[in-house]
Amino acid sequence: MRVSVFGLGYVGSVTAGCLADAGHTVVGVDVDEDKVRMVSAGTSPIVEPGLDELLTTGVRTGTLSTTTSAHEAVAATDVALICVGTPGRTDGRPDVGALERVARGIGLALRSAPKPYTVVLRSTVLPGTIDDVLIPTLETAAGPGSTGLRVASNPEFMREGTALRDFAEPPFTLVGTDDSNTAETVRELYARVTAPFVVTTVRTAEMVKYVSNAFHAVKIAFANEIGDLAEALGVDPHDVMRIFALDKKLNVSGAYLRPGFAFGGSCLPKDVRALVYAARTRDIAGPLLSSVMSSNEAQIRRAAQTILDMKRRRVGVVGLAFKPGTDDLRESPLVTLCETLIGKGCEVRVLDRHVSIARLRGANRRYIEDEIPHIASLMCDGPAALLAHADVIVIGNDSPDAARVLGSIRPGQAVVDLTRGTVSRNAGRAA
Ligand SMILES: NC(=O)c1ccc[n+]([C@@H]2O[C@H](COP(=O)([O-])OP(=O)(O)OC[C@H]3O[C@@H](n4cnc5c(N)ncnc54)[C@H](O)[C@@H]3O)[C@@H](O)[C@H]2O)c1
């Protein structure tokens, strides 16, 4: 393929070198004349093991050339990969000025010589940037030349220092587009890469990159706080984390990473508090661990506010235990939610058959009667009673009753789904 790579920094120079090495005809573009000169001489503008060799070979064999002119680059290629910087301003907002300038340059080149052209954004941008900044800028500059313009997101997951290997073996190749031809164009670019090829929406692709980096940052902060605490408790931090990471079922896996509602139960809140206590009593700050419970409480407050904002008093909550399929009400966030709503004057009814059974003969009977008798008296015996009572249905967990209730919502009845669509998705799969 004939590809131009805009921006010859850390991402762009590696991308240009690797694509040239893969047999594509690559034109590297930068406004920085020094970088253009260096790449055209086969010298890497960044310190990256192995890159000098790739660039030298590309230039020598003619698969890699460079220019400072967007016009020249667009004229010589069918696809542009944009790899310019998106540095953060002081308030955190990414600066997309360089992206806008590149988009304008590509658009103007297409205006003067219209042709089908694919623009792929590799830079990291917030969800909505392609729709709200890149596409309008390209289209305005290209004018009639924007016919045949295709745009995709293709975030980069390489790490400096191991960038060549990461380019060849990424965790996946991610493409955001709703057009299968555009996805195929990107697939062809990375034909040599054997990683899973994931196609999603533009906004999802844009967001996955931030979620990945934020999670990496959270992992490092978590490991360091555990390291501080382990040392203070006389435990080898490396041993702790090595053994922790052996558990690929619950610890290092997709478990507990599905967005839904707040956590609760007899273990997680208690044990987080215990670690925070241990840190505090040893003068260790542990701001990440210390903020976990308040983050969880914020989820409950947000749910309550969403329901209260609807200004409907008759509320039906599906689920009361801390997770579906159990009768354990200890520290259940749904109990807290119900108590908040009752306190604000809502008439609450609850459907949770496991809890109803527990009330009659289960181990939690005393807890229910002693701790939350006011909620126990609000239990419905089936979906029909809940549906008949409520103006607002709150789906608290993913249970068969939740699917039944959702399937029988009457017109005008509002739904607040704290599972964020999990019940409907699972019901759809089961159907
Ligand atoms: N560095 C990394 O490891 C890494 C990894 C993944 C993603 N990213 C993301 O990729 C993007 C690029 O990061 P980077 O570290 O390569 O940035 P960088 O600052 O090293 O390189 C950006 C290059 O773009 C050039 N440029 C600016 N305006 C231009 C224009 N109008 N036309 C052509 N070139 C222009 C600059 O001169 C510079 O050489 C960022 O959004 C970054 O967040 C970076």
Side-chain angles (χ1 to χ4, degrees):
M1 297 177 83
R2 303 187 309 159
V3 194
S4 50
V5 176
F6 282 79
L8 293 172
Y10 283 89
V11 170
S13 56
V14 170
T15 302
C18 291
L19 289 178
D21 183 55
H24 298 294
T25 303
V26 180
V27 181
V29 195
D30 207 296
V31 285
D32 183 331
E33 290 180 1
D34 286 337
K35 284 187 182 170
V36 168
R37 241 191 319 272
M38 286 179 82
V39 174
S40 64
T43 311
S44 170
I46 57 162
V47 175
E48 187 60 52
L51 187 55
D52 271 329
E53 291 79 356
L54 277 195
L55 297 178
T56 306
T57 309
V59 171
R60 187 170 41 79
T61 57
T63 52
L64 176 61
S65 61
T66 55
T67 179
T68 52
S69 158
H71 267 77
E72 242 178 71
V74 172
T77 58
D78 310 300
V79 182
L81 300 188
I82 303 180
C83 305
V84 296
T86 49
R89 298 172 192 237
T90 40
D91 63 356
R93 182 156 64 113
D95 182 344
V96 293
L99 172 62
E100 286 177 298
R101 285 189 289 280
V102 169
R104 209 170 297 122
I106 294 173
L108 290 174
L110 291 172
R111 179 185 285 264
S112 58
K115 63 175 180 176
Y117 203 72
T118 303
V119 176
V120 178
L121 182 60
R122 306 217 80 201
S123 305
T124 305
V125 293
L126 284 172
T129 307
I130 288 185
D131 286 342
D132 301 341
V133 178
L134 179 58
I135 294 176
T137 310
L138 278 167
E139 286 181 346
T140 305
S146 65
T147 327
L149 184 65
R150 300 184 307 180
V151 177
S153 163
N154 168 225
E156 169 59 59
F157 292 94
M158 65 170 229
R159 294 161 298 174
E160 289 172 25
T162 53
L164 266 54
R165 200 171 67 228
D166 288 348
F167 190 93
E169 298 163 16
F172 44 61
T173 302
L174 179 60
V175 183
T177 175
D178 54 11
D179 173 49
S180 56
N181 291 328
T182 311
E184 276 316 302
T185 301
V186 179
R187 191 196 291 269
E188 254 182 77
L189 267 181
Y190 301 111
R192 257 197 354 192
V193 174
T194 54
F197 189 79
V198 181
V199 182
T200 183
T201 66
V202 166
R203 279 174 194 246
T204 302
E206 289 173 316
M207 183 137 182
V208 167
K209 175 67 195 174
Y210 279 103
V211 173
S212 305
N213 275 353
F215 192 50
H216 301 165
V218 167
K219 283 167 76 170
I220 293 168
F222 179 78
N224 285 338
E225 286 193 10
I226 294 297
D228 291 344
L229 188 54
E231 281 163 8
L233 294 171
V235 179
D236 180 339
H238 294 291
D239 249 7
V240 168
M241 293 314 277
R242 181 183 58 77
I243 296 167
F244 165 85
L246 288 177
D247 176 355
K248 305 283 190 267
K249 202 168 164 189
L250 300 181
N251 292 352
V252 184
S253 72
Y256 303 117
L257 283 175
R258 282 196 304 267
F261 189 43
F263 64 77
S266 62
C267 296
L268 264 50
K270 170 177 80 69
D271 295 349
V272 169
R273 284 191 205 105
L275 269 193
V276 171
Y277 163 83
R280 196 173 53 239
T281 51
R282 281 154 186 86
D283 260 350
I284 292 166
L288 181 65
L289 273 173
S290 306
S291 64
V292 170
M293 290 311 298
S294 56
S295 166
N296 204 46
E297 285 150 17
Q299 292 292 324
I300 304 173
R301 278 199 304 278
R302 185 175 153 82
Q305 201 53 53
T306 303
I307 298 159
L308 292 170
D309 283 349
M310 293 178 156
K311 309 273 183 231
R312 300 185 188 196
R313 290 184 54 226
R314 297 166 70 88
V315 180
V317 180
V318 187
L320 187 63
F322 86 98
K323 66 178 176 184
T326 170
D327 62 354
D328 196 347
L329 292 164
R330 287 173 294 176
E331 296 222 38
S332 168
L334 289 166
V335 170
T336 312
L337 177 66
C338 288
E339 285 175 332
T340 308
L341 296 174
I342 293 165
K344 291 285 184 184
C346 294
E347 288 175 32
V348 176
R349 293 289 179 277
V350 179
L351 175 61
D352 190 322
R353 294 198 212 215
H354 288 96
V355 174
S356 300
I357 292 165
R359 220 179 124 210
L360 295 176
R361 56 184 164 81
N364 275 332
R365 180 178 177 159
R366 181 176 298 161
Y367 177 85
I368 294 168
E369 285 174 356
D370 291 353
E371 304 289 331
I372 51 166
H374 53 301
I375 289 188
S377 65
L378 307 175
M379 304 302 293
C380 293
D381 56 6
L386 190 88
L387 283 157
H389 164 81
D391 292 329
V392 183
I393 294 288
V394 179
I395 302 298
N397 61 26
D398 178 14
S399 63
D401 269 340
R404 279 182 207 110
V405 168
L406 272 183
S408 306
I409 296 292
R410 60 170 192 270
Q413 210 163 26
V415 175
V416 175
D417 182 0
L418 300 179
T419 74
R420 306 176 204 244
T422 302
V423 177
S424 325
R425 270 197 301 277
N426 289 350
R429 265 202 290 277

